[in-house]
Amino acid sequence: MSFTEELVLPSRGIIYQMPDFDGVVKVKPFTTKAYKDLLTANASDTGLKQFIDSCLVDCPVKAKNMNQHDLLAILFKTRIMTLGNMLKMQIKCPDCGNVDDLQWDLEKIDVDYLYAEDYPIKVTLPKSNKEIKIRFTTGSDLIKAKQESERRAAKFKKQSSEFLQIYTIASLIDVDGKDLIEKAEWYESMSPQDAIYLDEVITEMSNSFGVKMTKNVRCSKCDKDYSTYIDIGSDFFRPYANVSLGITSKAGNLGGVSEEPNISE
């Protein structure tokens, strides 16, 4: 059986509203099978959630129901446990186009943890003076919002993307016991002042905790400072090693190669 390490989620479990869950999960290294399954799924959202579930031990919250910040923290932890803490990247300067190599120590990445005296968060809308409650986004909310936006899009023969933001916001608010459809209708009918304020509050909440994915760097060529970020692509799950196999190849034709290649080149 592989070893496990404990990880405190950035949300500290608060957003899941489970009395017996303190936000600490047990993480284990990912296996070759889990990685191959992720590649087979083309790193789709479903495939990624299944990958994360395979790296958790006895977790009461499934990855599909988690907040994005918690998912990222688990990915970083299992990557460190499996492949080490150093991530090698190539970054491109937006000013001169120069490409630099960057080594990122994943263990030193900053994490902001959520602290809330009362949850869901209570806010009062500025125009109507109405008090509502707002929750942080979870995977469950996004699934419901997507399903309802697709249903509405089919009804009116439009693209679901036109309704997704409305239903995503509606899934995060509690208003007088309304269901999702009623909350969406209420949101669409509110004053612009209240809607803008609500949007700003939700954006601020989403940025209030989580893994810090960006880093300030300086270009080695033009000496300009710029910000880069960690890309969770296929390279994120691959180790980097300088391996010499003692073999090489040399161009030739069907007549053969006139001289032996120098494998020390």
Side-chain angles (χ1 to χ4, degrees):
M1 182 177 178
S2 60
F3 69 98
T4 64
E5 291 185 7
E6 290 190 340
L7 170 71
V8 180
L9 298 176
S11 73
R12 297 174 56 243
I14 293 172
I15 65 179
Y16 306 116
Q17 297 181 281
M18 302 172 66
D20 297 328
F21 181 46
D22 60 0
V24 178
V25 297
K26 292 181 179 180
V27 184
K28 64 181 181 180
F30 64 82
T31 64
T32 298
K33 182 182 184 307
Y35 175 62
K36 295 294 185 182
D37 288 344
L38 180 62
L39 293 181
T40 302
N42 292 321
S44 64
D45 183 67
T46 300
L48 188 59
K49 301 290 176 60
Q50 291 174 345
F51 175 85
I52 291 173
D53 279 333
S54 73
C55 300
L56 295 172
V57 177
D58 299 328
C59 182
V61 185
K62 291 295 184 182
K64 67 178 183 179
N65 297 325
M66 285 188 178
N67 178 274
Q68 188 70 18
H69 295 306
D70 290 343
L71 293 175
L72 285 173
I74 295 168
L75 278 179
F76 277 59
K77 183 65 174 179
T78 189
R79 199 275 181 194
I80 291 171
M81 294 173 66
T82 309
L83 304 175
N85 59 303
M86 299 306 297
L87 176 65
K88 187 182 292 185
M89 296 173 51
Q90 285 195 324
I91 54 176
K92 187 175 182 179
C93 176
D95 289 299
C96 70
N98 177 59
V99 176
D100 281 320
D101 291 326
L102 174 67
Q103 290 209 25
W104 211 320
D105 189 342
L106 300 180
E107 287 188 332
K108 294 183 179 180
I109 290 178
D110 293 331
V111 179
D112 289 334
Y113 294 93
L114 175 64
Y115 284 85
E117 294 181 1
D118 192 20
Y119 189 80
I121 310 298
K122 296 179 181 179
V123 299
T124 302
L125 300 175
K127 179 67 174 178
S128 63
N129 203 37
K130 184 174 183 59
E131 183 180 88
I132 63 173
K133 296 179 179 180
I134 309 177
R135 295 177 290 105
F136 288 94
T137 311
T138 65
S140 305
D141 297 320
L142 296 178
I143 291 172
K144 293 176 184 177
K146 183 180 179 182
Q147 290 173 341
E148 190 54 41
S149 61
E150 289 175 347
R151 185 198 65 79
R152 188 171 178 183
K155 179 179 179 180
F156 294 102
K157 295 181 171 55
K158 293 186 177 182
Q159 295 294 321
S160 61
S161 57
E162 296 183 36
F163 305 105
L164 185 57
Q165 182 184 16
I166 295 171
Y167 283 103
T168 298
I169 292 175
S171 70
L172 304 181
I173 58 179
D174 293 330
V175 185
D176 302 331
K178 298 180 185 296
D179 62 24
L180 181 61
I181 297 176
E182 292 171 334
K183 289 188 293 184
E185 292 173 349
W186 176 83
Y187 171 74
E188 289 183 293
S189 66
M190 69 168 47
S191 69
Q193 296 97 318
D194 285 348
I196 292 171
Y197 178 78
L198 180 58
D199 292 349
E200 289 177 347
V201 169
I202 291 175
T203 299
E204 184 177 345
M205 285 176 60
S206 66
N207 296 327
S208 63
F209 72 100
V211 179
K212 298 301 182 182
M213 299 282 287
T214 60
K215 186 174 188 176
N216 294 323
V217 295
R218 176 165 293 180
C219 177
S220 63
K221 184 177 181 180
C222 69
D223 211 32
K224 294 282 186 68
D225 292 328
Y226 63 97
S227 180
T228 188
Y229 65 94
I230 297 178
D231 181 23
I232 310 294
S234 58
D235 288 345
F236 182 84
F237 300 99
R238 270 203 292 262
Y240 289 86
N242 295 319
V243 180
S244 176
L245 300 178
I247 60 175
T248 188
S249 62
K250 192 174 183 67
N253 53 43
L254 292 178
V257 178
S258 58
E259 61 183 38
E260 291 295 320
N262 183 357
I263 63 174
S264 65
E265 291 181 341

